[in-house]
Amino acid sequence: MTNNKFKSGFVAILGRPNVGKSTFMNHVMGQKIAIMSDKPQTTRNKIQGIYTTENEQIIFIDTPGIHKPHNALGDFMVQSAYSTLRECDVVLFMVAADEPRSTGENMIIERLKKAEVPVVLVVNKIDKVHPDRLFEIVSDYTSQMEFAEVVPISAKMGNNTDRLLSTLTEKLEEGPQYFPEDQITDHPERFLVSEMIREKILLLTREEVPHSIAVTTDQMTRDIDTGKIHIMATIIVERKSQKGIILGKGGDMIRKIGKMARRDIEIMLGDKVYLETWVKIKNDWRDRKMDLADFGYNKDDYM
């Protein structure tokens, strides 16, 4: 039965790195569409998650964590995050309950004061603090600016996320269904495959490697004989030493990355996958705008 009061709109999730934006979106969507890592600045592009029910369609925009940029890639990430303020109907400003308000949050608040849409304060990771501390945390943030609503949640445990969704529905206006009801993201499968490979590198490597890599999915074809989806992907690094780390002793690391990534890719595609990965050195790619565009960080597509 069609609901005459169908609501829809775009909701941007803003916050510092590692406050749980991707965890929240994956929880709401019921599956992984944004990669997760304990390392900051994991999300590099704006990723849209499309949540549809009989009564509403909420398009979540998971943005890169806002931080002080140190290269052209970092600048792209921050500008990409702030650009969502011009294209959304509601902003979720997410903060971590177990971390004190920092200069990073203050910087975001100054931008949010100029926002022309409702801003909802989301205090995430409430499972990590004593309930008595919540009032103090909320009071601290609400003393800085006026929020349309304040919702404490635990994205990891799922606590209070239903209330947050209800709050968003209240703030949205009547509108069209922008995407088919079975579509959960606007990104193509190749992008998601690349991100899943990058997630495993973030998980398995340390030091300078995680933020120096990009992943491109060069080919996705179905093998007629085996029925498997044959994927060819390239891992780009900045230095020879990083290539050695990614490959590992006797190719151990690259095999481990491939095995873990393939598992997630097969779940996403619902099919058997043969994953072939290559490692390529591209010196200082994070500071070259042409390279950034080639590897999927094109400001014209996101701003």
Side-chain angles (χ1 to χ4, degrees):
M1 187 173 71
T2 305
N3 191 322
N4 293 326
K5 292 189 176 179
F6 190 86
K7 289 188 167 189
S8 63
F10 293 78
V11 176
I13 313 171
L14 260 67
R16 282 197 305 115
N18 242 18
V19 295
K21 300 184 294 295
S22 298
T23 304
F24 166 71
M25 194 166 71
N26 288 340
H27 173 78
V28 170
M29 300 314 303
Q31 69 182 83
K32 182 184 290 184
I33 59 171
I35 67 172
M36 297 184 292
S37 164
D38 59 357
K39 297 177 179 69
Q41 301 159 39
T42 299
T43 300
R44 288 177 175 172
N45 300 79
K46 292 186 297 186
I47 296 174
Q48 290 190 177
I50 304 160
Y51 173 81
T52 309
T53 71
E54 189 180 322
N55 303 314
E56 79 237 306
Q57 185 170 81
I58 305 173
I59 300 103
F60 289 101
I61 308 172
D62 179 23
T63 62
I66 295 172
H67 62 287
K68 188 175 180 180
H70 299 293
N71 48 47
L73 174 61
D75 187 58
F76 165 85
M77 290 161 64
V78 172
Q79 293 307 315
S80 173
Y82 279 138
S83 73
T84 58
L85 294 176
R86 300 193 298 268
E87 58 195 41
C88 68
D89 301 294
V90 181
V91 173
L92 295 186
F93 173 39
M94 189 171 288
V95 302
D98 60 339
E99 294 178 22
R101 178 168 54 86
S102 68
T103 52
E105 268 95 16
N106 294 340
M107 182 175 69
I108 297 168
I109 287 169
E110 288 309 306
R111 284 285 190 118
L112 292 179
K113 285 177 181 176
K114 300 170 189 172
E116 296 177 1
V117 295
V119 179
V120 177
L121 175 66
V122 181
V123 183
N124 191 22
K125 304 187 182 184
I126 58 172
D127 53 299
K128 292 192 171 185
V129 298
H130 194 279
D132 292 347
R133 282 203 55 217
L134 263 183
F135 178 76
E136 177 191 331
I137 295 163
V138 170
S139 296
D140 179 48
Y141 279 99
T142 52
S143 69
Q144 302 303 304
M145 72 171 276
E146 191 174 337
F147 294 98
E149 204 80 48
V150 179
V151 185
I153 69 164
S154 168
K156 187 177 180 181
M157 310 299 289
N159 297 356
N160 232 18
T161 51
D162 286 347
R163 186 192 148 197
L164 180 52
L165 288 171
S166 299
T167 300
L168 289 176
T169 304
E170 288 168 15
K171 304 291 176 195
L172 294 177
E173 313 244 333
E174 286 182 44
Q177 183 175 310
Y178 292 98
F179 298 93
E181 60 186 38
D182 59 348
Q183 186 173 342
I184 61 163
T185 183
D186 69 325
H187 277 293
E189 288 176 343
R190 285 189 181 211
F191 172 85
L192 297 176
V193 166
S194 297
E195 285 290 271
M196 287 176 179
I197 296 168
R198 191 167 69 88
E199 179 186 53
K200 303 315 172 191
I201 297 169
L202 287 169
L203 181 69
L204 294 170
T205 62
R206 294 288 179 266
E207 296 161 2
E208 83 281 9
V209 175
H211 300 304
S212 302
I213 60 110
V215 180
T216 62
T217 299
D218 309 310
Q219 188 177 315
M220 284 180 69
T221 54
R222 188 176 292 278
D223 189 298
I224 298 171
D225 297 325
T226 65
K228 286 185 177 182
I229 298 171
H230 188 170
I231 298 173
M232 293 180 68
T234 304
I235 299 166
I236 295 99
V237 297
E238 289 186 316
R239 288 186 287 282
K240 189 177 179 181
S241 60
Q242 295 166 351
K243 181 176 181 178
I245 293 169
I246 297 292
L247 291 173
K249 190 176 180 181
D252 282 353
M253 180 60 78
I254 195 77
R255 279 195 293 272
K256 194 182 290 184
I257 291 166
K259 185 178 178 182
M260 291 177 70
R262 191 181 71 247
R263 202 177 299 143
D264 278 1
I265 295 165
E266 287 182 339
I267 291 170
M268 179 187 72
L269 298 177
D271 230 324
K272 289 292 182 185
V273 165
Y274 173 73
L275 177 62
E276 198 172 350
T277 50
W278 305 85
V279 185
K280 180 179 176 182
I281 301 168
K282 194 87 172 175
N283 294 327
D284 302 320
W285 69 265
R286 287 180 295 171
D287 271 319
R288 298 177 192 273
K289 289 186 179 177
M290 191 180 292
D291 287 339
L292 289 175
D294 285 346
F295 303 150
Y297 309 112
N298 189 342
K299 71 176 184 178
D300 294 335
D301 293 340
Y302 293 91
M303 298 181 194

